[in-house]
């Protein structure tokens, strides 16, 4: 059985490894070289690198028996494109969901733009831990207030430079991060507000929240877009059924 997985997430890598161990012929499509690096060393797993639109997905899908969308919970555009491509090609699709976290005491907003609007008249340094893709939505804020944590890749650095973020405020690091490292960053840069997404346990979200509580930093949580799917074990059971 030929399995195509979209996404370089932690759970996507686990799925690729375990599905391969079950006997599936696994291909993983990731958007960036960084995602491909994370998959290095998985025996028998083929990795395709490069961001695909719906048309590119439709071209790729024929020849596979099953597709699994294991992209990030906030990658709504990618999920929509994968769903549409599978519908157009008649490809069976499963959506692998990362469990959501229980969060108390955070300011909840529906989008990064809403987070920026909320913070406009609230003083203090801000740590943006929402990724580079939507960084421009914070362009209404004074860049001298912003500290930005992005992946150590050209895309993230370019987005920060385009925003006029001082280079001393760019934290190009790859997570997940420990409680102590999160705490040290918040203290070092005298952060008053942490803007984040619910990346779940796999994304180090619990450590991020715990550090904010320890230091006394307020959390602005960008809520997840609506999504439906299944957990890792449920997906693996369905793959097993197809391998019988």
């Amino acid at each position: 059985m030929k399995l195509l997985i979209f996404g370089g997430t932690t759970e996507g890598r686990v799925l690729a490894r375990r599905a391969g161990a079950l006997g599936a012929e696994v291909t993983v499509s990731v958007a960036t070289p960084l995602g491909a690096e994370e998959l290095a060393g998985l025996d028998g797993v083929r990795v395709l690198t490069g961001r695909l639109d719906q048309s590119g997905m439709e071209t790729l899908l024929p020849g596979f028996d099953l597709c699994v969308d294991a992209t990030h919970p906030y990658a709504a555009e990618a999920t929509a494109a994968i769903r549409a491509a599978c519908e157009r090609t008649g490809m069976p699709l499963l959506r692998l969901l990362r469990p959501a976290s229980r969060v108390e005491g955070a300011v909840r907003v529906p989008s990064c733009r809403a987070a920026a609007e909320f913070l406009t008249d609230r003083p203090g340094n801000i740590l943006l831990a929402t990724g580079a893709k939507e960084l421009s939505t914070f362009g209404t804020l004074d860049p001298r207030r912003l500290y930005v944590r992005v992946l150590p890749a050209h895309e993230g650095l370019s987005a920060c430079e385009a925003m006029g973020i001082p280079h001393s405020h760019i934290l190009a690091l790859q997570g997940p991060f420990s409680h102590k490292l999160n705490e040290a960053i918040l203290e070092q840069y005298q952060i008053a507000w942490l803007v984040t997404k619910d990346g779940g346990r796999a994304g180090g979200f619990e450590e991020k929240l715990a550090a904010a509580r320890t230091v006394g930093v307020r959390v602005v949580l960008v809520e997840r877009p609506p999504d439906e799917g299944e957990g890792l074990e449920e997906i693996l059971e369905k793959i097993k059924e197809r391998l019988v």
Side-chain angles (χ1 to χ4, degrees), residues 4-234:
L4 174 62
I5 301 172
F6 282 104
T9 56
T10 300
E11 58 271 33
R13 294 192 294 273
V14 173
L15 176 63
R17 175 178 55 80
R18 293 183 61 181
L22 289 173
E25 185 177 330
V26 181
T27 297
V28 182
S29 175
V30 296
T32 66
L34 190 59
E37 285 181 18
E38 291 293 304
L39 288 158
L42 284 184
D43 294 336
V45 175
R46 182 167 67 121
V47 181
L48 304 177
T49 306
R51 204 175 298 278
L52 298 176
D53 58 12
Q54 182 183 329
S55 176
M57 293 172 184
E58 290 176 14
T59 300
L60 177 62
L61 283 167
F64 290 96
D65 301 303
L66 176 66
C67 176
V68 177
D69 174 10
T71 57
H72 195 273
Y74 288 83
E77 291 182 7
T79 289
I82 294 166
R83 184 181 299 113
C86 287
E87 289 176 353
R88 293 258 310 187
T89 58
M91 177 64 60
L93 171 66
L94 300 174
R95 170 62 169 147
L96 174 57
L97 286 184
R98 179 182 294 183
S101 305
R102 296 180 62 182
V103 183
E104 297 179 359
V107 176
R108 295 176 177 268
V109 292
S111 66
C112 287
R113 189 172 302 280
E117 292 173 356
F118 173 81
L119 291 167
T120 297
D121 299 319
R122 290 172 170 82
N125 291 344
I126 302 165
L127 176 62
L128 300 179
T130 54
K133 188 175 181 181
E134 297 176 280
L135 185 58
S136 62
T137 60
F138 294 94
T140 56
L141 300 175
D142 183 348
R144 293 172 297 181
R145 297 179 60 198
L146 303 179
Y147 290 80
V148 185
R149 196 156 73 185
V150 294
L151 291 172
H154 177 73
E155 182 181 26
L157 296 175
S158 295
C160 290
E161 290 177 340
M163 278 271 294
I165 304 295
H167 286 87
S168 60
H169 291 203
I170 301 173
L171 312 178
L173 301 166
Q174 183 173 353
F177 307 100
S178 68
H179 180 142
K180 287 186 177 180
L181 181 53
N182 279 303
E183 187 177 330
I185 290 172
L186 295 173
E187 289 183 327
Q188 173 71 25
Y189 299 106
Q190 300 178 338
I191 301 301
W193 300 92
L194 167 63
V195 185
T196 184
K197 296 176 177 178
D198 176 9
R201 181 183 294 274
F205 184 64
E206 293 178 3
E207 290 81 1
K208 198 185 303 183
L209 289 184
R213 285 195 296 268
T214 300
V215 180
V217 170
R218 294 290 308 277
V219 175
V220 179
L221 177 65
V222 180
E223 296 186 310
R224 289 187 180 190
D227 203 355
E228 294 182 355
E230 299 167 286
L232 177 64
E233 298 303 329
E234 289 80 6

